[in-house]
Amino acid sequence: MNWHSRKITLSFFIILSLGFLALFVIDKAVESRLNNLPIISNVSNFELTNFDNQKFTNDQLVGKLSLISFIFTNCEDACPIMSNHFSILQKRFYDSNSIQFISITVDPSVDSKDILKDYSKNYSIKDNWFFLTGDLQAIISLAEDGLFVSAALLPTGHSTRFILVDQNANIRRYYEGTDESSIFEIQNDILTLLDT
């Protein structure tokens, strides 16, 4: 084998080795990110209704990544910020059919289905964002016992946390919904879970 052939062969093995090294590094990075997304708990059974009178249950969490929030339409401080953050994320993942957004009213006696529908038009640009309502006690139970967030002194005392739920209806992480930096964390965590 002449020098030129050996040089080509050596270059090939170096490139191949670098490729394997890159795959190893990527695999370890994904594994490390997954370690930051432990399974916290499975979401308990629930049944609420979207503004179009369609039932929405815990079964509809299976097979999709879900980002969940609690809001009310008369809110003038936290809720518009939270809904705007959902809107940003919905736009960033517009082409994905693997993600859904769920906003649950904590003021069902005021937030009729028509009001929720009108509210949704201010933020949502795709039909993968569900604005849910139901019996107040069922909403409190879902918040406190199913998703482990506060539901005291409603409507103003609702949790401002976003809840990331994986494709198996497992809670994976909480974020402060009014914090703009959460958008980037959520985006990265969604990409991590989509890669698994």
PDB file of all heavy atoms in Angstrom, residues 108-128:
ATOM      1  N   PRO A 108     -64.891  28.924  36.675  1.00  0.00           N
ATOM      2  CA  PRO A 108     -65.870  28.395  35.716  1.00  0.00           C
ATOM      3  C   PRO A 108     -67.244  29.060  35.780  1.00  0.00           C
ATOM      4  O   PRO A 108     -67.974  29.050  34.791  1.00  0.00           O
ATOM      5  CB  PRO A 108     -65.950  26.911  36.074  1.00  0.00           C
ATOM      6  CG  PRO A 108     -65.502  26.826  37.485  1.00  0.00           C
ATOM      7  CD  PRO A 108     -64.478  27.904  37.643  1.00  0.00           C
ATOM      8  N   SER A 109     -67.593  29.673  36.906  1.00  0.00           N
ATOM      9  CA  SER A 109     -68.899  30.329  36.986  1.00  0.00           C
ATOM     10  C   SER A 109     -68.942  31.600  36.137  1.00  0.00           C
ATOM     11  O   SER A 109     -70.006  32.038  35.714  1.00  0.00           O
ATOM     12  CB  SER A 109     -69.243  30.659  38.439  1.00  0.00           C
ATOM     13  OG  SER A 109     -68.318  31.588  38.967  1.00  0.00           O
ATOM     14  N   VAL A 110     -67.792  32.186  35.872  1.00  0.00           N
ATOM     15  CA  VAL A 110     -67.701  33.389  35.025  1.00  0.00           C
ATOM     16  C   VAL A 110     -67.250  33.021  33.619  1.00  0.00           C
ATOM     17  O   VAL A 110     -67.791  33.512  32.629  1.00  0.00           O
ATOM     18  CB  VAL A 110     -66.739  34.430  35.644  1.00  0.00           C
ATOM     19  CG1 VAL A 110     -66.492  35.587  34.681  1.00  0.00           C
ATOM     20  CG2 VAL A 110     -67.283  34.923  36.971  1.00  0.00           C
ATOM     21  N   ASP A 111     -66.249  32.150  33.525  1.00  0.00           N
ATOM     22  CA  ASP A 111     -65.674  31.793  32.223  1.00  0.00           C
ATOM     23  C   ASP A 111     -66.535  30.761  31.508  1.00  0.00           C
ATOM     24  O   ASP A 111     -66.252  29.554  31.530  1.00  0.00           O
ATOM     25  CB  ASP A 111     -64.247  31.260  32.396  1.00  0.00           C
ATOM     26  CG  ASP A 111     -63.278  32.350  32.782  1.00  0.00           C
ATOM     27  OD1 ASP A 111     -63.589  33.532  32.558  1.00  0.00           O
ATOM     28  OD2 ASP A 111     -62.193  32.011  33.306  1.00  0.00           O
ATOM     29  N   SER A 112     -67.592  31.248  30.878  1.00  0.00           N
ATOM     30  CA  SER A 112     -68.449  30.363  30.088  1.00  0.00           C
ATOM     31  C   SER A 112     -67.660  29.859  28.879  1.00  0.00           C
ATOM     32  O   SER A 112     -66.580  30.369  28.563  1.00  0.00           O
ATOM     33  CB  SER A 112     -69.690  31.119  29.615  1.00  0.00           C
ATOM     34  OG  SER A 112     -69.307  32.126  28.683  1.00  0.00           O
ATOM     35  N   LYS A 113     -68.235  28.903  28.190  1.00  0.00           N
ATOM     36  CA  LYS A 113     -67.561  28.375  27.005  1.00  0.00           C
ATOM     37  C   LYS A 113     -67.390  29.449  25.940  1.00  0.00           C
ATOM     38  O   LYS A 113     -66.363  29.492  25.257  1.00  0.00           O
ATOM     39  CB  LYS A 113     -68.338  27.166  26.476  1.00  0.00           C
ATOM     40  CG  LYS A 113     -68.237  25.988  27.433  1.00  0.00           C
ATOM     41  CD  LYS A 113     -69.151  24.855  27.073  1.00  0.00           C
ATOM     42  CE  LYS A 113     -69.051  23.785  28.168  1.00  0.00           C
ATOM     43  NZ  LYS A 113     -70.035  22.735  28.031  1.00  0.00           N
ATOM     44  N   ASP A 114     -68.368  30.329  25.810  1.00  0.00           N
ATOM     45  CA  ASP A 114     -68.250  31.425  24.829  1.00  0.00           C
ATOM     46  C   ASP A 114     -67.132  32.394  25.210  1.00  0.00           C
ATOM     47  O   ASP A 114     -66.390  32.866  24.349  1.00  0.00           O
ATOM     48  CB  ASP A 114     -69.575  32.178  24.712  1.00  0.00           C
ATOM     49  CG  ASP A 114     -70.635  31.383  23.962  1.00  0.00           C
ATOM     50  OD1 ASP A 114     -70.255  30.456  23.212  1.00  0.00           O
ATOM     51  OD2 ASP A 114     -71.829  31.682  24.132  1.00  0.00           O
ATOM     52  N   ILE A 115     -67.029  32.678  26.497  1.00  0.00           N
ATOM     53  CA  ILE A 115     -65.967  33.578  26.961  1.00  0.00           C
ATOM     54  C   ILE A 115     -64.597  32.938  26.737  1.00  0.00           C
ATOM     55  O   ILE A 115     -63.661  33.595  26.277  1.00  0.00           O
ATOM     56  CB  ILE A 115     -66.188  33.964  28.435  1.00  0.00           C
ATOM     57  CG1 ILE A 115     -67.376  34.926  28.541  1.00  0.00           C
ATOM     58  CG2 ILE A 115     -64.930  34.593  29.035  1.00  0.00           C
ATOM     59  CD1 ILE A 115     -67.803  35.254  29.956  1.00  0.00           C
ATOM     60  N   LEU A 116     -64.475  31.656  27.034  1.00  0.00           N
ATOM     61  CA  LEU A 116     -63.215  30.948  26.797  1.00  0.00           C
ATOM     62  C   LEU A 116     -62.867  30.932  25.305  1.00  0.00           C
ATOM     63  O   LEU A 116     -61.703  31.091  24.929  1.00  0.00           O
ATOM     64  CB  LEU A 116     -63.279  29.521  27.336  1.00  0.00           C
ATOM     65  CG  LEU A 116     -63.200  29.361  28.850  1.00  0.00           C
ATOM     66  CD1 LEU A 116     -63.429  27.905  29.248  1.00  0.00           C
ATOM     67  CD2 LEU A 116     -61.871  29.863  29.402  1.00  0.00           C
ATOM     68  N   LYS A 117     -63.884  30.749  24.476  1.00  0.00           N
ATOM     69  CA  LYS A 117     -63.638  30.729  23.029  1.00  0.00           C
ATOM     70  C   LYS A 117     -63.125  32.093  22.564  1.00  0.00           C
ATOM     71  O   LYS A 117     -62.157  32.176  21.803  1.00  0.00           O
ATOM     72  CB  LYS A 117     -64.923  30.366  22.290  1.00  0.00           C
ATOM     73  CG  LYS A 117     -64.737  30.177  20.801  1.00  0.00           C
ATOM     74  CD  LYS A 117     -65.995  29.623  20.166  1.00  0.00           C
ATOM     75  CE  LYS A 117     -65.737  29.260  18.720  1.00  0.00           C
ATOM     76  NZ  LYS A 117     -66.903  28.603  18.102  1.00  0.00           N
ATOM     77  N   ASP A 118     -63.760  33.164  23.039  1.00  0.00           N
ATOM     78  CA  ASP A 118     -63.298  34.513  22.674  1.00  0.00           C
ATOM     79  C   ASP A 118     -61.887  34.763  23.191  1.00  0.00           C
ATOM     80  O   ASP A 118     -61.049  35.349  22.498  1.00  0.00           O
ATOM     81  CB  ASP A 118     -64.252  35.574  23.240  1.00  0.00           C
ATOM     82  CG  ASP A 118     -65.562  35.635  22.465  1.00  0.00           C
ATOM     83  OD1 ASP A 118     -65.607  35.123  21.330  1.00  0.00           O
ATOM     84  OD2 ASP A 118     -66.541  36.190  23.005  1.00  0.00           O
ATOM     85  N   TYR A 119     -61.616  34.334  24.420  1.00  0.00           N
ATOM     86  CA  TYR A 119     -60.285  34.501  25.023  1.00  0.00           C
ATOM     87  C   TYR A 119     -59.236  33.776  24.181  1.00  0.00           C
ATOM     88  O   TYR A 119     -58.141  34.301  23.944  1.00  0.00           O
ATOM     89  CB  TYR A 119     -60.311  33.963  26.453  1.00  0.00           C
ATOM     90  CG  TYR A 119     -59.024  34.146  27.220  1.00  0.00           C
ATOM     91  CD1 TYR A 119     -58.748  35.340  27.886  1.00  0.00           C
ATOM     92  CD2 TYR A 119     -58.086  33.124  27.304  1.00  0.00           C
ATOM     93  CE1 TYR A 119     -57.576  35.504  28.605  1.00  0.00           C
ATOM     94  CE2 TYR A 119     -56.912  33.282  28.018  1.00  0.00           C
ATOM     95  CZ  TYR A 119     -56.656  34.468  28.677  1.00  0.00           C
ATOM     96  OH  TYR A 119     -55.488  34.631  29.385  1.00  0.00           O
ATOM     97  N   SER A 120     -59.581  32.579  23.716  1.00  0.00           N
ATOM     98  CA  SER A 120     -58.619  31.774  22.954  1.00  0.00           C
ATOM     99  C   SER A 120     -58.187  32.481  21.675  1.00  0.00           C
ATOM    100  O   SER A 120     -57.052  32.327  21.223  1.00  0.00           O
ATOM    101  CB  SER A 120     -59.223  30.411  22.610  1.00  0.00           C
ATOM    102  OG  SER A 120     -60.170  30.516  21.560  1.00  0.00           O
ATOM    103  N   LYS A 121     -59.092  33.259  21.090  1.00  0.00           N
ATOM    104  CA  LYS A 121     -58.774  33.952  19.830  1.00  0.00           C
ATOM    105  C   LYS A 121     -57.675  34.991  19.995  1.00  0.00           C
ATOM    106  O   LYS A 121     -57.022  35.369  19.026  1.00  0.00           O
ATOM    107  CB  LYS A 121     -60.036  34.610  19.268  1.00  0.00           C
ATOM    108  CG  LYS A 121     -61.068  33.599  18.790  1.00  0.00           C
ATOM    109  CD  LYS A 121     -62.364  34.294  18.403  1.00  0.00           C
ATOM    110  CE  LYS A 121     -63.433  33.274  18.042  1.00  0.00           C
ATOM    111  NZ  LYS A 121     -64.752  33.904  17.808  1.00  0.00           N
ATOM    112  N   ASN A 122     -57.462  35.444  21.227  1.00  0.00           N
ATOM    113  CA  ASN A 122     -56.394  36.418  21.486  1.00  0.00           C
ATOM    114  C   ASN A 122     -55.007  35.786  21.506  1.00  0.00           C
ATOM    115  O   ASN A 122     -54.008  36.499  21.423  1.00  0.00           O
ATOM    116  CB  ASN A 122     -56.633  37.113  22.829  1.00  0.00           C
ATOM    117  CG  ASN A 122     -57.887  37.955  22.827  1.00  0.00           C
ATOM    118  OD1 ASN A 122     -58.188  38.608  21.848  1.00  0.00           O
ATOM    119  ND2 ASN A 122     -58.615  37.915  23.923  1.00  0.00           N
ATOM    120  N   TYR A 123     -54.956  34.455  21.642  1.00  0.00           N
ATOM    121  CA  TYR A 123     -53.659  33.811  21.864  1.00  0.00           C
ATOM    122  C   TYR A 123     -53.368  32.630  20.936  1.00  0.00           C
ATOM    123  O   TYR A 123     -52.239  32.471  20.484  1.00  0.00           O
ATOM    124  CB  TYR A 123     -53.567  33.325  23.315  1.00  0.00           C
ATOM    125  CG  TYR A 123     -53.653  34.445  24.322  1.00  0.00           C
ATOM    126  CD1 TYR A 123     -54.838  34.718  25.002  1.00  0.00           C
ATOM    127  CD2 TYR A 123     -52.548  35.256  24.590  1.00  0.00           C
ATOM    128  CE1 TYR A 123     -54.921  35.763  25.918  1.00  0.00           C
ATOM    129  CE2 TYR A 123     -52.619  36.304  25.503  1.00  0.00           C
ATOM    130  CZ  TYR A 123     -53.808  36.544  26.160  1.00  0.00           C
ATOM    131  OH  TYR A 123     -53.881  37.579  27.064  1.00  0.00           O
ATOM    132  N   SER A 124     -54.358  31.808  20.692  1.00  0.00           N
ATOM    133  CA  SER A 124     -54.107  30.549  19.992  1.00  0.00           C
ATOM    134  C   SER A 124     -54.224  30.695  18.484  1.00  0.00           C
ATOM    135  O   SER A 124     -55.125  31.365  17.973  1.00  0.00           O
ATOM    136  CB  SER A 124     -55.096  29.485  20.476  1.00  0.00           C
ATOM    137  OG  SER A 124     -54.870  28.262  19.815  1.00  0.00           O
ATOM    138  N   ILE A 125     -53.301  30.029  17.772  1.00  0.00           N
ATOM    139  CA  ILE A 125     -53.327  30.071  16.307  1.00  0.00           C
ATOM    140  C   ILE A 125     -53.488  28.672  15.709  1.00  0.00           C
ATOM    141  O   ILE A 125     -53.420  28.508  14.496  1.00  0.00           O
ATOM    142  CB  ILE A 125     -52.038  30.726  15.757  1.00  0.00           C
ATOM    143  CG1 ILE A 125     -50.794  29.975  16.242  1.00  0.00           C
ATOM    144  CG2 ILE A 125     -51.979  32.190  16.125  1.00  0.00           C
ATOM    145  CD1 ILE A 125     -49.517  30.373  15.537  1.00  0.00           C
ATOM    146  N   LYS A 126     -53.710  27.684  16.557  1.00  0.00           N
ATOM    147  CA  LYS A 126     -53.822  26.305  16.072  1.00  0.00           C
ATOM    148  C   LYS A 126     -54.759  25.551  17.007  1.00  0.00           C
ATOM    149  O   LYS A 126     -54.915  25.923  18.171  1.00  0.00           O
ATOM    150  CB  LYS A 126     -52.414  25.669  16.055  1.00  0.00           C
ATOM    151  CG  LYS A 126     -52.326  24.333  15.359  1.00  0.00           C
ATOM    152  CD  LYS A 126     -50.887  23.839  15.339  1.00  0.00           C
ATOM    153  CE  LYS A 126     -50.842  22.432  14.770  1.00  0.00           C
ATOM    154  NZ  LYS A 126     -49.493  21.857  14.847  1.00  0.00           N
ATOM    155  N   ASP A 127     -55.354  24.478  16.508  1.00  0.00           N
ATOM    156  CA  ASP A 127     -56.343  23.750  17.311  1.00  0.00           C
ATOM    157  C   ASP A 127     -55.738  22.737  18.289  1.00  0.00           C
ATOM    158  O   ASP A 127     -56.411  21.833  18.753  1.00  0.00           O
ATOM    159  CB  ASP A 127     -57.368  23.069  16.401  1.00  0.00           C
ATOM    160  CG  ASP A 127     -56.749  22.020  15.491  1.00  0.00           C
ATOM    161  OD1 ASP A 127     -55.518  21.801  15.553  1.00  0.00           O
ATOM    162  OD2 ASP A 127     -57.502  21.412  14.707  1.00  0.00           O
ATOM    163  N   ASN A 128     -54.469  22.907  18.625  1.00  0.00           N
ATOM    164  CA  ASN A 128     -53.849  22.021  19.618  1.00  0.00           C
ATOM    165  C   ASN A 128     -53.772  22.676  21.003  1.00  0.00           C
ATOM    166  O   ASN A 128     -53.039  22.228  21.877  1.00  0.00           O
ATOM    167  CB  ASN A 128     -52.451  21.580  19.165  1.00  0.00           C
ATOM    168  CG  ASN A 128     -51.457  22.736  19.103  1.00  0.00           C
ATOM    169  OD1 ASN A 128     -51.829  23.903  19.007  1.00  0.00           O
ATOM    170  ND2 ASN A 128     -50.178  22.402  19.144  1.00  0.00           N
TER     171      ASN A 128
END
